[in-house]
Amino acid sequence: AALSCSSCSPPPPTHPPPPPPLSSLSPSPLPSYTAFSLFSPLLFSPSSFLCPFGYLASDVKRYDRQIRLWGLDTQRGLLGTRVLLLRASGLCDEAAKNLVLAGVGHVSIQDPDTVTADDLAIGGAFSLRSTDIGRNKAEAMVEHLQPMNPSVEMDALTQPLASLPDEKLRQFHFIIGTH
């Protein structure tokens, strides 16, 4: 058995003190910020208050987990990102949902086709409904995904990809094929 003494063994680990309870924080109507904190008074401000980061207080609440995970600068970068998804498929539906919930600033879906009963039978596009049969796929997806995060701009491009002008395509930071 190995012997150890107090001069040879490492000190016990120390942990930072726990954060103060939320009840001990007093909200301030005109807070001053130098850095974002989980316990910032911004979280307790009226939802119409625009914080210095360019977000409404309700947006900070919505994106709180993401901001803690990858930071405010990355979340701000997402807010300014424009994404085009080509073809309204099941993969497109899932990708669009994730982009919308993450807070990407603008999501466009391109598809010239209409919703058919076969599209619903495949079951991959969860946002399409039987009432959408005969409608444009991109328009139907945008209509059903937009309410998930009203802060994200969404639009449907119903023209074929080959007919989209280069200037339109250059507006996007990312173009993702999903078919």
Side-chain angles (χ1 to χ4, degrees), residues 36 47 58 71 78 88 94 143:
F36 179 78
S47 62
S58 60
L78 286 175
E94 186 66 27
E143 179 183 310

Side-chain angles (χ1 to χ4, degrees), residues 14-77:
T14 58
H15 300 287
L22 292 177
S23 60
S24 70
L25 299 174
S26 58
S28 170
L30 297 173
S32 62
Y33 297 100
T34 56
F36 179 78
S37 164
L38 173 62
F39 300 103
S40 167
L42 176 63
L43 297 176
F44 305 101
S45 299
S47 62
S48 62
F49 175 74
L50 186 64
C51 73
F53 309 123
Y55 282 105
L56 293 176
S58 60
D59 290 333
V60 172
K61 286 181 188 178
R62 176 180 293 132
Y63 305 128
D64 177 61
R65 295 174 90 185
Q66 293 165 212
I67 291 169
R68 286 190 275 161
L69 177 65
W70 52 57
L72 190 60
D73 288 338
T74 301
Q75 188 64 38
R76 222 186 264 136

Side-chain angles (χ1 to χ4, degrees), residues 98-119:
N98 291 333
L99 292 168
V100 166
L101 292 176
V104 168
H106 183 95
V107 177
S108 293
I109 299 174
Q110 177 276 330
D111 200 316
D113 297 335
T114 58
V115 179
T116 65
D118 288 342
D119 295 323

Side-chain angles (χ1 to χ4, degrees), residues 126-164:
F126 64 88
S127 70
L128 297 179
R129 297 169 174 82
S130 59
T131 55
D132 295 324
I133 293 176
R135 291 184 61 204
N136 176 271
K137 287 181 185 180
E139 289 175 346
M141 277 190 183
V142 166
E143 179 183 310
H144 299 302
L145 293 170
Q146 179 69 56
M148 291 182 172
N149 189 347
S151 298
V152 174
E153 295 176 16
M154 290 193 77
D155 69 338
L157 304 176
T158 58
Q159 328 65 323
L161 178 60
S163 70
L164 289 174

